[in-house]
Amino acid sequence: MPLDTETYTLPVARTIADLQAQVTAWRAEGLRIGFVPTMGALHEGHLSLVDLAARHADKVVVSIFVNPTQFAPHEDLDAYPRTEQEDAEKLAKRPAHLIFAPAAREMYPEEFDLSIQVSGPSEGLESDARPHFFAGVVTVVAKLFAAVKPDIATFGEKDYQQLLVVKKLVRDLDLGIEIVAGETTREQDGLAMSSRNAYLTSDERRRASQLYAALNNVADTIKQGASITEAREAGLAILHEAGFDPIDYLEVRDAETLTPLETVTSPARVLAAAKLGATRLIDNIPLEI
Ligand code: PAF
């Protein structure tokens, strides 16, 4: 199947072979390849990662693939928004050069047997609530990296644990891909942009900004001299008051390793995940004293 240049303004590769034909041609011209992996339903956060990739590369490939292996059977794989046409229109206005939008069978043919586990930064936090999640992410990211063979790839700090896990994957496999982190893009009231925000009712949307407020409250309380335990209690009270339930975690962790801290003496991260109605939100902020 040739590269699809008709459907959208940007060309779309549906197969790994077509993707690689284009990337190999660019590479033969001495161009640097940037890569932004996404699951689509693109918002300004994703698009800022495209802009960031373009500052580090000559050509930018954006993948749109709702990866089934990172969803547990009871999670929102079927409900996850699929908006390929709108995504392509948004990407055409940004420095993106090729969309890679494979079908699930292209990524996971019938005989596919691989599942990669990363320990270290993947332990705890998200893994406690979603034990299947990082094996699914790491396996698909490894597969996407092998398909695109980028020089650099951008990942958002919004999924901070995922960012560290991907960096570890690159280090452990000596992939030689530069991972560039993009700062979290926020709505005016502080809510981190996420494709899942679309699930929120208008009342939940109004209360959702309290997740960011709680993170900041924890960071500020620690900066004012309180212990991590005291600060977490104050942050949890904000989340309970806003109606988050359950709260999977609200933690202060080492920014490099995500190990738990007794006190903050080196760069740290305040991280939280909690449900508002049916929607699970996650967010984090840096904490340096
Ligand atoms: O962050 C995401 O959107 C996904 O986890 C990723 C990295 C595209 C892998 O499916």
Side-chain angles (χ1 to χ4, degrees):
M1 199 196 298
L3 216 56
D4 175 359
T5 52
E6 304 289 317
T7 310
Y8 309 124
T9 314
L10 278 184
V12 185
R14 301 273 174 201
T15 65
I16 293 170
D18 290 342
L19 164 75
Q20 288 186 333
Q22 177 61 84
V23 172
T24 306
W26 282 335
R27 204 172 281 295
E29 291 174 51
L31 301 175
R32 239 172 105 74
I33 312 300
F35 177 46
V36 187
T38 81
M39 298 207 299
L42 302 183
H43 50 65
E44 197 49 41
H46 297 112
L47 300 173
S48 72
L49 293 176
V50 174
D51 296 346
L52 181 62
R55 294 203 283 278
H56 293 260
D58 303 302
K59 296 287 181 187
V60 175
V61 178
V62 180
S63 65
I64 298 178
F65 179 61
V66 183
N67 173 36
T69 65
Q70 67 192 73
F71 292 80
H74 64 278
E75 290 183 344
D76 56 341
L77 174 63
D78 292 337
Y80 199 86
R82 286 159 174 87
T83 56
E84 190 181 276
Q85 164 120 27
E86 289 94 319
D87 292 347
E89 282 162 16
K90 288 177 188 168
L91 288 171
K93 298 190 187 127
R94 305 302 264 250
H97 302 93
L98 177 65
I99 296 171
F100 176 47
R105 267 282 165 259
E106 178 70 8
M107 295 298 283
Y108 301 115
E110 245 166 55
E111 67 278 17
F112 190 86
D113 276 334
L114 186 72
S115 176
I116 304 177
Q117 303 278 347
V118 174
S119 47
S122 78
E123 283 161 14
L125 301 175
E126 283 302 290
S127 289
D128 288 343
R130 309 183 69 198
H132 59 283
F133 177 65
F134 282 119
V137 168
V138 171
T139 305
V140 82
V141 169
K143 179 113 184 163
L144 288 165
F145 281 170
V148 181
K149 300 190 178 65
D151 297 287
I152 77 113
T154 54
F155 285 80
E157 285 185 344
K158 152 89 171 29
D159 297 297
Y160 191 78
Q161 191 177 11
Q162 171 175 279
L163 169 68
L164 295 191
V165 168
V166 169
K167 283 185 175 172
K168 191 74 174 46
L169 166 76
V170 168
R171 260 202 318 278
D172 285 358
L173 284 180
D174 303 310
L175 294 179
I177 299 167
E178 185 188 346
I179 303 300
V180 180
E183 274 180 29
T184 304
T185 309
R186 298 186 181 279
E187 304 287 357
Q188 284 211 329
D189 63 358
L191 176 66
M193 287 195 188
S194 162
S195 308
R196 288 190 167 100
N197 292 350
Y199 300 152
L200 296 167
T201 64
S202 55
D203 175 52
E204 288 163 357
R205 171 63 194 84
R206 196 178 42 73
R207 289 182 279 132
S209 61
Q210 291 306 297
L211 184 59
Y212 184 54
L215 293 173
N216 279 299
N217 189 278
V218 171
D220 293 344
T221 311
I222 292 172
K223 281 183 196 161
Q224 284 156 17
S227 69
I228 290 178
T229 309
E230 289 162 340
R232 281 187 65 242
E233 274 164 19
L236 286 169
I238 294 173
L239 292 179
H240 285 304
E241 173 70 27
F244 282 89
D245 182 35
I247 298 164
D248 286 340
Y249 57 85
L250 172 61
E251 293 282 332
V252 179
R253 296 288 178 100
D254 180 272
E256 290 287 309
T257 60
L258 291 183
T259 46
L261 296 173
E262 301 265 301
T263 52
V264 179
T265 50
S266 55
R269 210 86 198 173
V270 189
L271 309 104
K275 258 185 152 180
L276 197 53
T279 310
R280 186 171 183 273
L281 299 176
I282 75 169
D283 198 358
N284 69 90
I285 59 168
L287 168 58
E288 289 193 39
I289 296 199

